[in-house]
Amino acid sequence: MSNTKGSAAIEVDAICKEFMLSHSGINSLKTMLAWWKKRKIEKLDVLKGVSFQVSRGECVAVVGRNGAGKSTLLSLIARVYKPTSGTVKVVGRVAPLLELGAGFHPDLTGLENIFFNGVILGLKRKEIQSKIEEIVAFSELDSHIDAPVRTYSSGMKARLGFSIAVNIDADVLLVDEVLAVGDYEFEQKCYRKIDEFRANGGTILFVSHHFASISRVADRCIYLKNGLIEADGPTAKILEMYKGLQSSEVVL
Amino acid sequence: MLSELRELWAYREMLATMVQRELKIRYKNSVLGFLWSLLNPLITVVVMTIVFEYIQQNQTPNLSAYILAAYLPYMFFQLCLLDSAQSVLNGLDLAKKIYFPREILPLTMVISNLIHFLLALLVFFGFLLVIYLLHPIIVPFQATTVFLPVLILINLALVTGLSLFVSALNTFYEDVKYIVSVLLYLLFFLSPIMYFSETVYNAPAVKRHPIIFFLYHLNPVATLSTAYRQVLLAPTQVISHGQTYPPLPFQWGLLGITTVVSFVILIGGYAFFNRVKWKFVERP
């Protein structure tokens, strides 16, 4: 987080992504052996040329209806998918929270899972060791940290996942749906931590349907519709427009 | 391929942690724990020895040690392939959410099985020591044992290459793991594990057409099985069905071919895996 504010942290250039759809399991040996049977490969264009930039320290929310390509966009930035065409450039370490605690193993303890999650996010064990106290303290799970994660409630898992993600000094946070977790108290703590993260030059790109949390943290909104950017601008304006469009669609 | 190797190196701590996790989880809820991975081959060899010595009348001295010397590497080979066949599918949930070099998934299986294999070899040497204390004729440690790491390296190259192939293919075609288990079963009988390559060499058909002996050893597992035996144990006369066969010399030429084949498979497997690994998460 050394660069000055304002330089690009995420650069997405003319990105397209198409998926093969298959209703009968195109990838089974059975269909391959039965090659003489005419099979139809359906393709689905999820993203059709999306370009934008996110500056360092900016917090951008992506809104749009289900199936608009929001999650695919995030996955492309997280390098889970390879784009069909176009390029994605991210500066610094990315912490994708496509799902909080995605890498937790139920049989391992909270502490072991912190290490496991940390190394998947690209940290060295020594770095995790130096952050472990911070992570445990933030999650407020000190008394359970040596118990297997399968004994955790979903709220506890979410808290641990969030604590890991915000305490590993990532440059870019990618968040799908869950921004602040836990009860009211903990949620407020999450928001404070996010503000602190941004004040230190961290960048956030998140997908959400939750208008209150979008208004609370995002300075900018990207409205995605059918794989294209419909609008891109200040949060209040875009949310207003998005709400307006949705209600008119309902009337239609 | 070099950039992929660099990327893998950058993620070495993740690989190490995955291996640790795998070893921890595998026996976490069982009482005997790690002992299970030793009990299985030991029980098998005890039964085999009884069958061979008393029913098949194989009089080769110290037979169980010779069987074990080839059976432990085969177990390693088999478990690597079966475990890695499922590895990418099992790790798909994680792979859909986060980026990491996908080859970490099968490599975790190969390395954790390698660790089991090395521990099993330690037990094997303990077993030889016990036999030596009972019959002080068979010396437990041969000078040739210094070549053991070389054999393990060749074996590792072979099994890693095949594991990369199998794990990638099984992700798209789940029939692959069934095909693999059938092939492994056949391979077990087509390799000198429960019998000796001396017996093959002296079989009437092979005597008539010596080329069969060469073709038989094009199977890398066959060559490796005999090589393990020759490196770990003293040459022995094979006595079965009243026939005595002198020990064969070490087959350097065959091992050379196996080495080349193994490393070609390793490079080919990695290249193939890298070509398709982006498609794993898009599997419908």
Side-chain angles (χ1 to χ4, degrees), chain A residues 201-228:
Chain A
T203 310
I204 302 175
L205 183 69
F206 77 109
V207 164
S208 182
H209 294 289
H210 194 240
F211 289 154
S213 66
I214 296 174
S215 309
R216 166 71 177 77
V217 294
D219 352 86
R220 188 178 137 203
C221 252
I222 293 173
Y223 173 20
L224 218 56
K225 191 179 175 186
N226 296 326
L228 286 166

Side-chain angles (χ1 to χ4, degrees), chain B:
Chain B
M1 191 178 278
L2 280 178
S3 66
E4 263 112 0
L5 278 175
R6 252 196 304 275
E7 180 96 27
L8 182 62
W9 178 246
Y11 273 84
R12 61 192 181 277
E13 295 226 358
M14 179 182 173
L15 182 57
T17 310
M18 288 279 278
V19 170
Q20 217 177 51
R21 191 182 81 155
E22 179 66 26
L23 294 176
K24 233 182 233 171
I25 291 166
R26 189 175 295 189
Y27 300 113
K28 192 142 196 167
N29 294 322
S30 66
V31 182
L32 291 180
F34 169 73
L35 278 180
W36 278 117
S37 46
L38 300 175
L39 273 177
N40 183 352
L42 282 180
I43 293 169
T44 313
V45 167
V46 167
V47 175
M48 295 286 173
T49 311
I50 292 169
V51 170
F52 280 108
E53 272 191 34
Y54 299 101
I55 301 172
Q56 281 264 47
Q57 308 279 312
N58 189 326
Q59 308 290 303
T60 308
N62 207 6
L63 181 63
S64 45
Y66 285 90
I67 292 179
L68 209 51
Y71 187 62
L72 290 178
Y74 176 79
M75 282 275 291
F76 165 57
F77 182 83
Q78 180 184 40
L79 290 175
C80 272
L81 290 190
L82 292 178
D83 284 348
S84 41
Q86 281 297 92
S87 64
V88 173
L89 281 182
N90 288 340
L92 213 54
D93 271 343
L94 189 59
K96 275 182 182 163
K97 276 158 200 141
I98 207 160
Y99 171 80
F100 57 88
R102 274 48 172 134
E103 52 271 36
I104 283 184
L105 295 169
L107 289 182
T108 299
M109 296 303 165
V110 171
I111 294 176
S112 53
N113 276 308
L114 176 69
I115 291 170
H116 281 295
F117 175 47
L118 294 179
L119 289 172
L121 279 176
L122 277 185
V123 175
F124 174 73
F125 285 120
F127 171 77
L128 289 187
L129 206 62
V130 170
I131 294 187
Y132 178 70
L133 294 177
L134 296 175
H135 312 273
I137 324 153
I138 305 130
V139 183
F141 301 102
Q142 301 294 316
T144 46
T145 306
V146 295
F147 291 116
L148 182 64
V150 179
L151 283 190
I152 294 175
L153 196 69
I154 299 168
N155 200 349
L156 191 63
L158 174 69
V159 85
T160 307
L162 289 174
S163 295
L164 288 167
F165 265 116
V166 167
S167 61
L169 283 174
N170 192 61
T171 310
F172 302 118
Y173 316 112
E174 283 187 54
D175 307 65
V176 168
K177 63 169 179 283
Y178 300 112
I179 298 172
V180 166
S181 55
V182 171
L183 289 179
L184 279 169
Y185 186 71
L186 295 179
L187 204 64
F188 178 71
F189 290 104
L190 284 174
S191 306
I193 297 162
M194 293 297 136
Y195 54 91
F196 287 79
S197 59
E198 280 81 0
T199 320
V200 178
Y201 185 77
N202 290 294
V206 180
K207 280 271 170 223
R208 255 175 278 130
H209 308 283
I211 186 79
I212 295 177
F213 187 72
F214 174 75
L215 292 176
Y216 173 87
H217 280 96
L218 281 184
N219 162 16
V221 177
T223 308
L224 280 172
S225 298
T226 303
Y228 271 113
R229 230 170 229 163
Q230 289 173 325
V231 155
L232 286 169
L233 297 161
T236 183
Q237 290 196 322
V238 177
I239 309 164
S240 89
H241 294 96
Q243 303 268 15
T244 303
Y245 306 127
L248 287 174
F250 195 84
Q251 308 285 332
W252 287 106
L254 291 174
L255 191 66
I257 294 171
T258 296
T259 309
V260 173
V261 168
S262 300
F263 280 90
V264 166
I265 288 177
L266 175 63
I267 294 165
Y270 196 43
F272 176 73
F273 192 91
N274 281 329
R275 235 183 50 155
V276 299
K277 68 177 174 186
W278 289 99
K279 296 261 170 253
F280 293 160
V281 285
E282 293 176 27
R283 177 181 174 275

Side-chain angles (χ1 to χ4, degrees), chain A residues 245-252:
Chain A
L245 279 177
Q246 286 220 304
S247 48
S248 68
E249 267 174 46
V250 172
V251 174
L252 286 170

Side-chain angles (χ1 to χ4, degrees), chain A residues 17 19 27 29 32 78-82 96 98-99 102-103 105 107-108 112 116 119-121 124-125, chain B residues 7 10 13 16-18 20-21 24-25 28 94-99 172-173 175 278 281-282 284:
Chain A
K17 182 69 195 168
F19 286 102
N27 277 324
L29 212 53
M32 203 180 78
R79 287 218 289 159
V80 167
Y81 296 132
K82 210 175 198 171
L98 302 187
E99 196 176 293
H105 194 287
D107 280 343
L108 297 180
E112 289 169 328
F116 185 60
V119 289
I120 304 176
L121 293 170
K124 300 273 168 283
R125 280 190 221 222
Chain B
E7 180 96 27
E13 295 226 358
T17 310
M18 288 279 278
Q20 217 177 51
R21 191 182 81 155
K24 233 182 233 171
I25 291 166
K28 192 142 196 167
L94 189 59
K96 275 182 182 163
K97 276 158 200 141
I98 207 160
Y99 171 80
F172 302 118
Y173 316 112
D175 307 65
W278 289 99
V281 285
E282 293 176 27

Side-chain angles (χ1 to χ4, degrees), chain A residues 36-78:
Chain A
W36 61 88
K37 280 192 193 162
K38 217 175 177 182
R39 42 168 218 239
K40 216 170 80 189
I41 302 171
E42 279 183 69
K43 282 184 181 166
L44 183 69
D45 287 317
V46 178
L47 293 174
K48 306 163 185 164
V50 169
S51 307
F52 63 90
Q53 282 198 357
V54 179
S55 308
R56 195 169 291 271
E58 215 178 355
C59 177
V60 178
V62 182
V63 295
R65 302 202 55 190
N66 289 331
K70 307 184 295 294
S71 297
T72 307
L73 181 64
L74 241 55
S75 300
L76 280 163
I77 296 171

